[in-house]
């Protein structure tokens, strides 16, 4: 760590891990409700558990992105952060808003939450992933503005690099696109059309830029490869992300009441969406292969490589599987969609946040370069356990999805939804078991922060 | 990558490609919005339907169900529930009314939302309106 103000990243990373734990616990509740329908009913109905699961994910990823920005921008810009104080204030505002929102979900019926937060004045609630009360959304906008101001001013007064520029464009895109969450017309088709401008253009637009720039930063640090080479890769990867991903939004426009030409635009461009992820994998492995030095933080290198591989499979391969319109006609909104969602989010976004945490946290906690060998060993075990159990979850949901499609959407006598769900119970049980494995991985991950702290730093083998 | 392909070339592809595809996307969006009146069943968009949509949102129905295939995969697709039960709103209203407060032992059950008769009517009308949007033939079967 070269600049004192990078320290503000620490609370963001800690809060991110806390919300990650919350997300997984509610994921396990939902998984159980899939097979024991009355579990926690009516206290925590499925929809409430799901809101906590998905919203905690979004908030912890945003916390992670912000922490990453506060960590890497001063170092890249070679200057102290514009205002560390503002960064800490926005942290507490953000965490407070997130905490109150989760309590609101859990303590009162959702319709009551809508009523007491004045949803009827500016109705934005009750749409998938955008369930937050309108005042929470306004809070998110204020936090995002303060954050962008802080980061923007830091970039302006210091050295400008491709990494900070790309990060800034990604963050700006994230903030601007979120404004579409305030647009909620009565017309369902228009509502859905622009809802995707937040959801798709985040994950296959702005967020990919953020992902790319965090990855590039970590790779420069751990491989010592020349910045020119890494930044060239970064530009070409994110160029492909935008070229394929923007029109690729069309793969969500097949069946929601818009013109059918979207079946062509969406199929063709989204078929290209695996490319940036493939290039990211090649990029990371090439840089590590051509490294100029061995970094003692092996765990961080592992996360960096792992995120590109699982992002390629989860977002790339599993996305491609059902992105062509004639296939999507049968798969749309099935367990196959859930399979893709899990591996894509974990591989691309959860793991990139865990990558920067793995790289930065030892430095933020006073180490020179890396944690002790023992601590890293635990972290690598948690990496292996979480990654493989998420792959398992994906394979099980994929199998369940294929069976669901065959029973419910094909053949002479398609079966009703609930009858099909009963036939999928075995996969859902196994998925819950895999989720427990994931939880064990997560516990080991958290333990890695507390174990081996008194031991000396790991060193590079001669 | 070799020296012929420089960083500034990569940067130009990023900016050029990004701007070009944003503009193309806006153009397609403009055309889509022009064509929507033929497809989105807006003639049926009454105040009652709008009220139904508000109730749909304020009770987070999307947290369990899908609507036109989007949402959660815990409960049945509702984009064609109107057709599934005999092209009628009667079943939808009756179903909303009869959900057991404490659920069904061992099984998934929709919560009892205690809607008034007028609210049940609005939700049913909203689902009827949704079912008549032109979805290019989706879903493949009546089971959603």
């Amino acid at each position: 760590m070269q600049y004192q103000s990078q320290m503000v990243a620490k609370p963001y990373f800690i809060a991110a891990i806390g919300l990650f734990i919350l997300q997984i616990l509610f994921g396990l509740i939902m998984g159980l409700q899939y097979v024991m329908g009355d579990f926690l009913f009516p206290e925590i109905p499925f929809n409430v558990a799901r809101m906590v699961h998905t919203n905690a994910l979004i908030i912890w990823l945003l916390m992670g992105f912000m922490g990453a920005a506060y960590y890497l921008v001063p170092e890249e810009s070679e200057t102290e952060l514009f205002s560390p104080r503002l960064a800490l204030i926005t942290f507490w505002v953000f965490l407070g808003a997130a905490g109150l929102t989760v309590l609101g979900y859990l303590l009162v019926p959702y319709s009551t939450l809508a009523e007491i937060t004045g949803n009827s004045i500016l109705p934005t609630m009750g749409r998938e992933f955008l369930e937050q009360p309108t005042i929470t959304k306004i809070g998110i906008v204020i936090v995002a503005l303060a954050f962008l101001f802080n980061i923007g001013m830091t970039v302006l007064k210091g050295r400008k690099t491709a990494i900070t520029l790309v990060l800034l464009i990604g963050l700006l895109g994230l903030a601007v696109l979120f404004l579409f969450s305030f647009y909620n017309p009565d017309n369902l088709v228009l509502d859905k059309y622009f809802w995707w401008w937040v959801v798709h253009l985040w994950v296959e637009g702005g967020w990919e830029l953020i992902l790319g720039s965090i990855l590039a930063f970590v790779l420069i640090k751990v491989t010592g490869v020349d910045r020119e080479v890494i930044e060239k890769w970064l530009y070409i990867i994110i160029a492909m992300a935008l070229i394929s991903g923007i029109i690729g939004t069309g793969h969500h426009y097949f069946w929601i009441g818009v013109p059918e030409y979207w079946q062509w635009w969406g199929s063709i461009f989204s078929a290209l969406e695996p490319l940036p992820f493939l290039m990211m994998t090649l990029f990371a492995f090439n840089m590590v292969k051509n490294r100029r030095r061995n970094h003692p933080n092996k765990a961080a290198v592992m996360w960096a490589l792992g995120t590109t591989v699982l992002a390629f499979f989860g977002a790339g391969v599993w996305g491609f599987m059902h992105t062509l319109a004639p296939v999507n006609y049968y798969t749309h909104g099935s367990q196959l969609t859930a399979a893709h969602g899990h591996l894509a989010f974990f591989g691309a976004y959860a793991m990139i946040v865990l990558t920067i945490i793995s790289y930065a946290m030892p430095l933020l906690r006073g180490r020179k370069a890396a944690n002790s060998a023992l601590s890293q060993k635990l972290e690598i075990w948690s990496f292996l356990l979480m990654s493989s159990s998420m792959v398992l979850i994906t394979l099980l949901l994929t199998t369940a999805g294929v069976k669901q499609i065959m029973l419910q959407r094909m053949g002479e006598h398609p079966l009703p939804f609930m009858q099909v769900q009963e036939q999928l119970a075995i996969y859902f049980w196994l998925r819950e078991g895999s989720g427990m494995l994931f939880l064990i991985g997560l516990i080991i991950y958290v333990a890695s922060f507390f174990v081996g702290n008194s031991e000396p730093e790991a060193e590079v083998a001669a | 990558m070799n020296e012929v392909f420089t960083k500034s070339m990569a940067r130009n592809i990023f900016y050029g490609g990004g701007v070009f595809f944003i503009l193309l996307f806006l153009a397609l969006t403009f055309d889509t919005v022009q064509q929507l009146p033929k497809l989105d069943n807006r003639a049926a968009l009454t105040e009652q339907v709008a009220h139904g949509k508000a109730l749909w949102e304020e009770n987070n129905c999307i947290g369990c169900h899908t609507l036109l295939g989007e949402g959660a995969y815990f409960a049945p697709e509702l984009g064609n529930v109107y057709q599934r039960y005999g092209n009628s709103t009667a079943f939808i209203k009756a179903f909303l009314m009869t959900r057991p407060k404490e659920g069904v032992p061992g099984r998934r059950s929709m919560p009892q939302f205690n809607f008034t008769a007028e609210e049940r009517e609005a939700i049913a009308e909203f689902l009827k309106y949704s079912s008549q949007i032109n979805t290019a033939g989706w879903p493949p079967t009546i089971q959603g």
Side-chain angles (χ1 to χ4, degrees), chain A residues 68-271:
Chain A
Y70 286 131
Y71 185 85
L72 73 81
V73 167
E75 202 162 308
E76 284 287 295
S77 304
E78 296 178 338
T79 173
E80 292 287 350
L81 188 66
F82 177 73
S83 169
R85 214 180 126 85
L86 181 62
L88 284 174
I89 294 171
T90 49
F91 169 76
W92 287 108
V93 172
F94 196 30
L95 188 65
L100 283 175
T101 303
V102 170
L103 284 179
Y105 290 161
L106 291 172
L107 296 181
V108 296
Y110 190 70
S111 57
T112 311
L113 185 64
E115 202 182 318
I116 56 182
T117 57
N119 187 56
S120 55
I121 303 164
L122 177 59
T124 68
M125 291 173 73
R127 293 171 305 149
E128 195 186 3
F129 310 126
L130 304 181
E131 296 93 347
Q132 313 82 31
T134 303
I135 44 169
T136 304
K137 290 197 182 84
I138 294 170
I140 292 174
V141 171
I142 292 169
V143 168
L145 284 177
F147 163 71
L148 277 174
F149 171 72
N150 211 351
I151 291 295
M153 291 302 281
T154 312
V155 169
L156 275 182
K157 75 176 172 141
R159 179 178 71 145
K160 285 132 195 96
T161 68
I163 289 177
T164 53
L165 221 58
V166 170
L167 182 68
L168 205 56
I169 296 172
L171 293 168
L172 202 66
L174 187 160
V176 169
L177 290 164
F178 184 69
L179 296 178
F180 284 93
S181 71
F182 292 95
Y183 177 63
N184 181 18
D186 293 335
N187 185 326
L188 186 67
V189 179
L190 275 176
D191 172 6
K192 282 176 175 291
Y193 189 91
F194 289 101
W195 176 82
W196 282 115
W197 286 33
V198 186
V199 177
H200 175 93
L201 292 176
W202 264 17
V203 296
E204 271 144 297
W207 287 26
E208 271 189 71
L209 271 56
I210 299 168
L211 160 62
S213 88
I214 297 174
L215 183 66
F217 173 80
V218 172
L219 286 175
I220 286 182
K221 298 290 167 184
V222 298
T223 66
V225 170
D226 192 31
R227 174 181 289 274
E228 282 296 305
V229 176
I230 288 195
E231 292 188 338
K232 183 159 68 177
W233 273 93
L234 173 63
Y235 272 128
I236 203 71
I237 288 168
I238 58 169
M240 272 318 294
L242 293 190
I243 289 168
S244 62
I246 294 173
I247 305 293
T249 315
H251 67 183
H252 301 293
Y253 292 164
F254 297 160
W255 328 111
I256 63 164
V258 298
E260 290 184 25
Y261 58 63
W262 280 110
Q263 293 183 23
W264 289 98
W265 288 105
S267 296
I268 291 167
F269 279 87
S270 66

Side-chain angles (χ1 to χ4, degrees), chain A residues 28 44 80 82 86 91 109 120-121 123 148 156-157 191 202 215 272 279 281 328 346 353 359-360 380 391 424 434 440:
Chain A
L28 287 168
I44 305 181
E80 292 287 350
F82 177 73
L86 181 62
F91 169 76
S120 55
I121 303 164
L148 277 174
L156 275 182
K157 75 176 172 141
D191 172 6
W202 264 17
L215 183 66
L272 301 175
M279 288 163 66
T281 312
N328 191 262
F346 180 70
V353 171
Y359 172 75
I380 289 172
V391 169
L424 304 179
S434 311
I440 295 170

Side-chain angles (χ1 to χ4, degrees), chain A residues 33-38 41-42 45-47 50-51 110-111 114 119-120 125-128 131 162 165 169 184-197 201 209 228 231-233 235-236 238-239 242-243 246-247 249 252-263 265 269 328-330 332-335 337-338 408-410 414-418 421-422 428, chain B residues 1-7 9-11 13-15 17-19 21-22 24-33 35-36 39-42 45 49-50 53-54 56-64 66-77 100-113 126 129-130 133-144:
Chain A
Q33 287 175 332
Y34 254 91
V35 277
M36 295 170 56
D38 60 346
F41 190 90
F46 180 85
N47 71 307
R50 189 176 194 263
M51 277 194 290
Y110 190 70
S111 57
N119 187 56
S120 55
M125 291 173 73
R127 293 171 305 149
E128 195 186 3
E131 296 93 347
L165 221 58
I169 296 172
N184 181 18
D186 293 335
N187 185 326
L188 186 67
V189 179
L190 275 176
D191 172 6
K192 282 176 175 291
Y193 189 91
F194 289 101
W195 176 82
W196 282 115
W197 286 33
L201 292 176
L209 271 56
E228 282 296 305
E231 292 188 338
K232 183 159 68 177
W233 273 93
Y235 272 128
I236 203 71
I238 58 169
L242 293 190
I243 289 168
I246 294 173
I247 305 293
T249 315
H252 301 293
Y253 292 164
F254 297 160
W255 328 111
I256 63 164
V258 298
E260 290 184 25
Y261 58 63
W262 280 110
Q263 293 183 23
W265 288 105
F269 279 87
N328 191 262
Y329 181 67
Y330 293 100
H332 180 50
S334 69
Q335 290 299 322
T337 321
Q408 191 183 316
R409 292 187 170 162
M410 291 177 149
L415 298 177
F417 178 91
M418 277 313 299
Q421 293 291 304
E422 276 160 30
F428 293 143
Chain B
M1 276 183 277
N2 58 41
E3 293 309 312
V4 184
F5 187 74
T6 63
K7 185 172 116 182
M9 287 162 77
R11 188 184 56 213
I13 296 175
F14 165 62
Y15 283 116
V19 169
F21 282 100
I22 287 170
L24 178 60
F25 188 58
L26 290 176
L28 287 168
T29 295
F30 180 77
D31 183 71
T32 297
V33 172
Q35 291 201 41
L36 276 192
L39 302 163
D40 64 11
N41 194 28
R42 66 180 62 188
L45 198 53
V49 168
K53 182 170 185 276
W56 166 270
E57 288 165 0
E58 285 173 1
N59 291 280
N60 194 30
C61 307
I62 206 82
C64 292
T66 49
L67 186 61
L68 309 188
E70 294 168 0
Y73 319 116
F74 190 70
E77 160 69 24
K101 213 174 172 51
E102 294 301 317
V104 183
R107 294 181 55 85
R108 301 181 200 174
S109 174
M110 192 163 94
Q112 173 52 260
F113 291 101
F126 167 65
Y129 145 81
S130 306
I133 289 168
N134 183 343
T135 55
W138 196 89
T141 72
I142 195 68
Q143 303 298 351

